[in-house]
Amino acid sequence: MDKNRNQKVYNHYVPQFLLKNFSENDKSISMYIKDTGHYVKNAPIRKVAGSDYLYGENGKIEDIFCEVEGFAAGIIKKICSNEQLPKNKQDREFLYLFFTLSEARTKEFADNFTQVFNDFVKNTARFGMYSGLPGFAEFTDAEIEELKVTMEIPSLYSIKAAANMSDAITDLHMLLIVNRTKTPFIITDTPVTKYNYYLLNCKNIMGYGWYQNGIIALMPISNSYAIALVDTCIYRIRSFNKKKVVINDDDAIFQINKLFALQAKQFIYANQGIPAEYIEKLLNEKEELRALNTNKLLLTSLSVRSIKNHIQLPFLKMKVKPLYGQAHSSSDYYRKHTIPLLNCDNKTWIYKGEDK
């Protein structure tokens, strides 16, 4: 047996402890597949939201995530028990890291980066072929199209960047959303959903990034609780308690779940009490997505799909007018303290013409 080979074959990109918070029995969860409409009422948690050796065969990154999840599980358990965000500064700062890592570690990010890298290799080869560069001239279009590059840990790049990025988003206000209705929150294969009313109608904004003005990030943590990160320079929180908002309206929960469902790449997970018909209703509205088409570029960027549908988040109100059209200055797009980071690649990855 290879001692360097990780014995934890199936790597979960949505932590099992988090999925159990939505389950009725801690062992299974309902699963809805967007492409096919197939619904499984009791899918084993240990066999969903994961992929074989997603974080490599030596298990080092998987072991790190196990430690991260153990710490996160304790914090989130206290949040759900006490119905309040942690007062401890270290725990609160850790939650920002948990947000960025939870987004960056998904299979979608890994697949996206693999596609981006392959597009880059193919486009570079085409450029060399058409330019007659040595080593490339003998290629044909068909041969270039057959090129395929695989990576042991395709999400490594995004995971490293996410670990450094969390420090830059601590200015975002952390808010606990309490669901008092009988309809539980859902969770998906993209557990962090970003949205942005402020930039929703900007034609040249391809996606919503952590560094942008007006960013809102949502992560459901159980049937009854979700955590939000909000740019309070752009939005006012409609609550006397600025650290917690209580929702008693089923329509409001529907809107939030709808945003989660539209953001999902492929799989939607939920409490077994949620019927397939409810999830189908969430998906009745066609997704309006913006994403960078890397096939048309020689220099490519990694981005996340961003929902452009008009979703109502009733606990927020705009404090400033949203941007429309295009050709705004960078200070309109990005929070002031993050602008220098856009030109520094020693801590974060760079987006050219794209968001962070």
Side-chain angles (χ1 to χ4, degrees):
M1 181 181 293
D2 186 352
K3 294 182 180 180
N4 293 320
R5 190 176 177 86
N6 178 21
Q7 298 306 304
K8 299 174 183 176
V9 176
Y10 194 72
N11 300 162
H12 287 83
Y13 52 84
V14 180
Q16 292 187 72
F17 86 84
L18 207 54
L19 294 173
K20 288 178 181 179
N21 287 350
F22 297 82
S23 170
E24 291 185 346
N25 55 26
D26 286 345
K27 294 182 179 180
S28 62
I29 193 168
S30 70
M31 178 177 70
Y32 185 91
I33 304 174
K34 289 180 73 173
D35 284 353
T36 64
H38 186 58
Y39 175 80
V40 180
K41 187 171 184 178
N42 286 288
I45 288 176
R46 63 186 178 86
K47 293 185 178 180
V48 301
S51 182
D52 288 355
Y53 295 121
L54 182 62
Y55 308 124
E57 295 188 357
N58 64 22
K60 292 181 180 179
I61 295 180
E62 174 69 2
D63 289 341
I64 292 173
F65 277 135
C66 286
E67 292 185 19
V68 168
E69 291 169 15
F71 195 37
I75 296 173
I76 288 175
K77 183 177 180 180
K78 288 180 182 178
I79 291 173
C80 296
S81 298
N82 302 331
E83 205 169 272
Q84 64 179 12
L85 294 169
K87 296 179 180 179
N88 181 284
K89 181 181 178 182
Q90 182 181 6
D91 289 353
R92 289 177 64 85
E93 289 179 349
F94 179 83
L95 286 176
Y96 287 97
L97 175 64
F98 191 63
F99 259 86
T100 56
L101 285 178
S102 294
E103 178 188 53
R105 67 182 289 190
T106 62
K107 188 174 185 299
E108 179 181 11
F109 249 88
D111 292 343
N112 194 358
F113 187 79
T114 300
Q115 183 63 52
V116 164
F117 195 76
N118 274 270
D119 288 344
F120 176 78
V121 169
K122 291 178 182 180
N123 288 330
T124 301
R126 288 191 183 97
F127 178 80
M129 179 186 70
Y130 294 142
S131 301
L133 297 178
F136 291 96
E138 64 273 15
F139 276 97
T140 66
D141 277 320
E143 288 172 333
I144 289 174
E145 192 57 39
E146 290 298 317
L147 289 174
K148 185 177 182 181
V149 181
T150 60
M151 290 163 280
E152 183 183 3
I153 313 175
S155 56
L156 182 61
Y157 187 66
S158 59
I159 291 169
K160 285 182 176 180
N164 291 312
M165 193 183 301
S166 61
D167 289 340
I169 66 168
T170 54
D171 64 304
L172 298 176
H173 183 85
M174 189 177 294
L175 177 70
L176 180 64
I177 303 173
V178 181
N179 177 2
R180 289 272 197 264
T181 74
K182 294 181 180 180
T183 304
F185 284 127
I186 64 170
I187 190 169
T188 75
D189 54 4
T190 55
V192 174
T193 297
K194 296 207 292 285
Y195 195 61
N196 197 323
Y197 288 117
Y198 181 68
L199 300 177
L200 185 65
N201 296 302
C202 281
K203 295 181 180 180
N204 58 324
I205 292 295
M206 303 306 297
Y208 307 136
W210 288 113
Y211 292 175
Q212 289 176 339
N213 280 326
I215 190 64
I216 306 162
L218 298 161
M219 179 192 294
I221 58 172
S222 77
N223 288 317
S224 301
Y225 302 100
I227 300 175
L229 302 181
V230 179
D231 181 0
T232 50
C233 290
I234 303 297
Y235 310 103
R236 180 173 64 83
I237 297 171
R238 288 174 160 168
S239 173
F240 291 112
N241 181 353
K242 300 303 180 183
K243 295 181 180 180
K244 180 170 71 175
V245 60
V246 178
I247 298 178
N248 297 292
D249 182 18
D250 283 307
D251 290 337
I253 297 301
F254 181 86
Q255 287 291 312
I256 297 172
N257 277 340
K258 176 181 172 182
L259 181 59
F260 294 155
L262 292 175
Q263 182 68 60
K265 177 66 175 178
Q266 180 69 279
F267 300 103
I268 297 169
Y269 308 106
N271 181 278
Q272 289 92 329
I274 291 185
E277 292 77 16
Y278 177 82
I279 299 176
E280 289 168 355
K281 189 176 179 181
L282 294 175
L283 296 170
N284 272 347
E285 184 176 332
K286 185 176 176 59
E287 301 162 352
E288 295 179 28
L289 298 171
R290 291 288 294 277
L292 188 64
N293 184 356
T294 60
N295 290 314
K296 297 180 180 179
L297 301 177
L298 288 177
L299 295 177
T300 57
S301 301
L302 184 63
S303 65
V304 184
R305 295 170 301 105
S306 295
I307 299 299
K308 294 289 181 175
N309 302 62
H310 287 267
I311 303 294
Q312 297 176 11
L313 299 178
F315 55 90
L316 297 179
K317 183 177 181 180
M318 296 287 296
K319 291 166 61 173
V320 298
K321 290 183 179 180
L323 295 185
Y324 288 89
Q326 55 189 18
H328 302 280
S329 66
S330 61
S331 60
D332 289 328
Y333 293 139
Y334 300 107
R335 301 197 303 286
K336 193 170 184 179
H337 80 282
T338 67
I339 291 177
L341 297 176
L342 300 176
N343 301 309
C344 175
D345 61 358
N346 63 338
K347 282 192 173 183
T348 59
W349 73 82
I350 301 301
Y351 284 79
K352 300 298 185 183
E354 181 62 32
D355 62 324
K356 281 186 181 278

